[in-house]
Amino acid sequence: MLMNAYKSYRNLPPLAGLCSMTDAMKPGLSVEQCVGRLKRYHYAFKRLHQIFTARLTAEPVYELKMGFSLHAHLCAEHATALRRRVGEKRAPPLGLEAVPDAGLEIFFDEILAAPTTGELVLGLYEKAVPALKAAMERHLTDTNLLADHPSARLCRFALLELEEMSKFGAQTMAGLVDGPCRERATKWLQLLDNCLTAAGKLEGVDEPIGTAPPQRLHSAKTYQYDKVPKRDERFPDPYNMGVNAEVFLYDEQFPPEPKTLMMFYKRLREIDVPEMMASIIVETPGKPWEYYRDMTRQLWDEARHAMMGEVGFANLGIDWAKKVMINYTWSLALNTQLKPIERHAVLYFIEQGLMPKTGKRFEWEVGLASHNPLSALFQDYDWADEVLHARVGRDWYLKDFKNAQEAVRYGDQCWSRVLMNWESWRQQGLTQHRNWWPEVYQDACQHWGAKPDPKVLGYSTTYQTVRADLKNLVGSA
Ligand SMILES: [Fe+2]
Ligand SMILES: [Fe+2]
């Protein structure tokens, strides 16, 4: 055959190294077929993004909150890339908000409404992620790699991260899903399979496409987002506001070393920012897609900040779960007392307050002045992330106001309205606001081989405050 006789110049890679001549000659997918599939991957990423976001607030297990934050971000990024690619393929109107298949819709609705953590991770990591992965792998074998290179490239990049999500899921299921849970979920997992079968698989290619999808089970009732944050047993005192990190941090009489501990505490406490931002994202429908993409990037950054705090404590051999009382008072108060736009206003108000010299730059300088290079590194990136978050705030919050001052004033107002009942929590027995600081500081001193400084050891300023002072109370961001 002529094809076999074809040779590149001096045996250089033909076709820019994309694929073999034979591969480039196969019929592949038409533009229409290709767009049809891309829209399904896009739908899957969008729904996964929604599920990871909606379920992280009330998910108690810390590692899952962090994993969901990352996976929400990854899915938002791939959905963004797919939207752009669909837009390149002469298919306007793009129809990206349409549901491509009734079976797929039930499939994702069911996972969103999974009644327990065990069933949720089974639905996500044993059904949804593998189905999407298989679909994109198939795209690479079905399409013409020369003609459809931009889509193939998207698929390859997405597959890298779907593989990472799979690994996270496998280890999670091994740790969380026991026999009885799997037993309970058997019928439901079959239902999920039936949804995919009715849809002709996620990619919508196999028979029998368009057969009636199965009856809904968990999603028979409309899903209700749970905005009340929950934590696992490593957060035994979630109302504790007994150690005021900011007062210590900005007090010049204290040295940088113990201040790094306060900064690790502040970072780890940022678990409440993804819990709160998820509520804004879920309860603010109808925005341009880029809003959700940007907000989810920030949500993930805040989860990273929390994990930086976790690493900081682990690095010093401090058992934070037993020694550091990480509260959730901020996300609890904002999620239950404010409307979504008011929560965004508070976030913006706090974050723009972090930009002046006393904020993120100061924290970085404290890290540099200490003997803890990890603290300096983490604060360096925390500061850089904060600059991005200020931009997200300008793009998606500020724009709706006449000017910046008004936007800040509104945030100030909303923040002042938030009730943090320091005293009444104590009276109700929710917390004693125990001062956990001396013990943590002593543990760190032991690690440093240093003698505790009595002044530092005696620090006992709490967050008890009167209503009028509340806006001085620094929140998470
Ligand atoms: Fe942060
Ligand atoms: Fe931030």
Side-chain angles (χ1 to χ4, degrees), residues 176-359:
L176 288 182
V177 179
D178 55 10
C181 171
R182 189 171 281 281
E183 182 79 31
R184 230 184 12 254
T186 314
K187 245 184 72 187
W188 181 64
L189 293 172
Q190 186 57 54
L191 186 157
L192 295 180
D193 285 338
N194 295 345
C195 288
L196 289 177
T197 307
K201 294 225 177 90
L202 195 138
E203 59 269 37
V205 181
D206 290 358
E207 299 295 325
I209 307 163
T211 50
Q215 286 278 312
R216 290 171 182 269
L217 183 64
H218 303 317
S219 70
K221 267 198 329 226
T222 313
Y223 168 75
Q224 276 290 322
Y225 166 65
D226 186 353
K227 59 177 142 194
V228 179
K230 290 188 187 59
R231 300 281 175 87
D232 64 41
E233 64 265 25
R234 292 165 294 175
F235 303 84
D237 195 0
Y239 289 87
N240 185 312
M241 292 180 77
V243 179
N244 192 315
E246 290 78 20
V247 168
F248 186 88
L249 193 57
Y250 294 116
D251 191 332
E252 284 174 11
Q253 67 165 322
F254 295 125
E257 233 60 57
K259 284 182 178 177
T260 62
L261 300 174
M262 284 301 193
M263 292 197 294
F264 290 141
Y265 164 53
K266 274 168 66 67
R267 297 288 75 81
L268 184 50
R269 199 176 56 187
E270 288 193 61
I271 301 164
D272 59 8
V273 193
E275 286 170 344
M276 190 286 281
M277 288 197 74
S279 78
I280 302 179
I281 294 170
V282 174
E283 296 184 331
T284 309
K287 290 277 187 184
W289 170 253
E290 289 68 27
Y291 167 90
Y292 302 104
R293 195 266 314 265
D294 287 353
M295 292 289 279
T296 309
R297 163 62 200 270
Q298 180 174 346
L299 182 154
W300 161 236
D301 291 348
E302 307 294 6
R304 265 170 48 239
H305 298 164
M307 290 185 282
M308 289 175 185
E310 179 191 11
V311 173
F313 282 125
N315 180 52
L316 296 171
I318 292 171
D319 185 353
W320 63 266
K322 292 215 173 65
K323 300 289 173 74
V324 186
M325 296 302 111
I326 306 292
N327 58 49
Y328 61 18
T329 47
W330 189 76
S331 53
L332 179 69
L334 263 65
N335 284 13
T336 56
Q337 294 175 31
L338 298 182
K339 294 204 284 274
I341 181 66
E342 297 169 332
R343 291 172 215 147
H344 204 167
V346 170
L347 183 69
Y348 181 77
F349 173 71
I350 291 172
E351 292 205 305
Q352 58 89 37
L354 297 174
M355 282 299 101
K357 270 208 145 144
T358 47

Side-chain angles (χ1 to χ4, degrees), residues 392-436:
V392 173
R394 281 197 301 277
D395 286 353
W396 298 114
Y397 168 72
L398 203 68
K399 267 202 289 206
D400 295 337
F401 290 84
K402 254 196 267 153
N403 52 52
Q405 291 97 302
E406 206 167 295
V408 173
R409 191 160 1 101
Y410 182 66
D412 189 355
Q413 245 171 45
C414 294
W415 188 211
S416 306
R417 268 179 40 219
V418 176
L419 288 169
M420 297 267 202
N421 293 316
W422 198 96
E423 191 48 48
S424 104
W425 289 337
R426 185 155 71 172
Q427 282 163 8
Q428 291 170 60
L430 290 170
T431 181
Q432 291 308 309
H433 298 295
R434 179 173 72 79
N435 180 9
W436 45 264

